[in-house]
């Protein structure tokens, strides 16, 4: 591992900390990562979690931190504890052109289908429901083509007290 510069007085407060829990909040470029690397090296028996903003930062941190530090993104942390229960809802690579080609529809309808699928995957409910049809838009934004398509989809769902008629 590379050598690091000596602690500033502010960094020393963290690197020499002996409590049980430590959270460091500071502005970008103030030396948080360097300080935490020093802290991790000074406490090799403590298990630590470094939460990174994105995968690139996580990968860079994983190369710099000692083995007692686990580097993850917030998405990885959430997926590990909650998201994996909904893995069956995830479809990799479902692009608008893929949807358009699969059902021979317009790009606008492909977008509306994509929005509906996004509403479904973001919902805790584990089956498709009429309220997913609105996606993230408003009823006024739905095209007649989408209303017809959604109507066909709704016919194949278990009826929920007439709710699908109100949506379409």
């Amino acid at each position: 591992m590379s050598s690091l510069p000596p602690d500033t007085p502010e960094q020393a407060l963290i690197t020499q900390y002996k409590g049980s829990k430590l959270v460091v909040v500071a502005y970008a470029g103030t030396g948080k990562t360097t300080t935490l690397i020093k802290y991790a090296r000074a406490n090799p028996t403590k298990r630590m979690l470094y939460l990174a903003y994105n995968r690139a930062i996580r990968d860079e941190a994983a190369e710099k931190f000692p083995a007692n530090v686990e580097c993850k993104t917030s998405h990885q942390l959430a997926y590990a504890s909650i998201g994996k229960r909904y893995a069956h809802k995830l479809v990799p690579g479902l692009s608008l052109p893929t949807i358009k080609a699969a059902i021979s529809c317009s790009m606008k309808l492909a977008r509306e289908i994509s929005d509906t699928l996004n509403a479904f995957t973001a919902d805790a409910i584990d089956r498709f429901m009429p309220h997913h049809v609105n996606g993230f838009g408003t009823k006024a934004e739905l095209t007649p083509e989408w209303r017809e398509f959604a109507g066909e989809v709704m016919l194949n769902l278990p009826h929920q007290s007439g709710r699908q008629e109100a949506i379409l």
Side-chain angles (χ1 to χ4, degrees):
M1 290 190 198
S2 64
S3 64
L4 298 171
D7 284 349
T8 65
E10 295 83 6
Q11 286 175 317
L13 294 172
I14 296 166
T15 60
Q16 296 171 19
Y17 181 75
K18 297 299 177 201
S20 61
K21 293 182 183 179
L22 173 65
V23 175
V24 177
V25 180
Y27 292 107
T30 57
K32 291 182 300 293
T33 301
T34 301
T35 303
L36 293 174
I37 291 168
K38 290 178 180 186
Y39 179 81
R41 287 180 181 177
N43 296 280
T45 60
K46 287 189 177 185
R47 292 182 57 226
M48 299 172 208
L49 172 66
Y50 178 84
L51 197 56
Y53 179 73
N54 61 37
R55 185 179 299 180
I57 295 169
R58 183 225 38 213
D59 291 348
E60 183 181 340
E63 291 177 14
K64 293 178 180 179
F65 277 97
N68 60 321
V69 178
E70 188 170 359
C71 299
K72 290 190 175 254
T73 65
S74 56
H75 287 111
Q76 284 180 299
L77 196 62
Y79 184 83
S81 63
I82 298 169
K84 64 184 173 190
R85 288 185 249 161
Y86 302 98
H88 65 283
K89 292 176 121 184
L90 301 176
V91 179
L94 189 59
S95 66
L96 295 181
T98 302
I99 296 169
K100 182 179 186 280
I103 62 170
S104 301
C105 68
S106 70
M107 194 58 86
K108 180 142 176 79
L109 178 57
R111 164 59 65 197
E112 291 167 340
I113 291 168
S114 177
D115 289 348
T116 298
L117 291 172
N118 285 334
F120 167 67
T121 58
D123 197 338
I125 297 171
D126 61 1
R127 66 186 177 119
F128 188 79
M129 299 292 290
H131 70 271
H132 296 125
V133 173
N134 288 329
F136 298 110
T138 65
K139 290 180 217 171
E141 294 171 341
L142 298 177
T143 62
E145 184 184 23
W146 174 240
R147 290 179 189 275
E148 181 181 340
F149 181 80
E152 290 175 27
V153 171
M154 291 301 118
L155 288 176
N156 294 312
L157 293 177
H159 290 285
Q160 298 287 322
S161 66
R163 187 170 177 191
Q164 61 272 21
E165 289 81 15
I167 291 173
L168 304 173

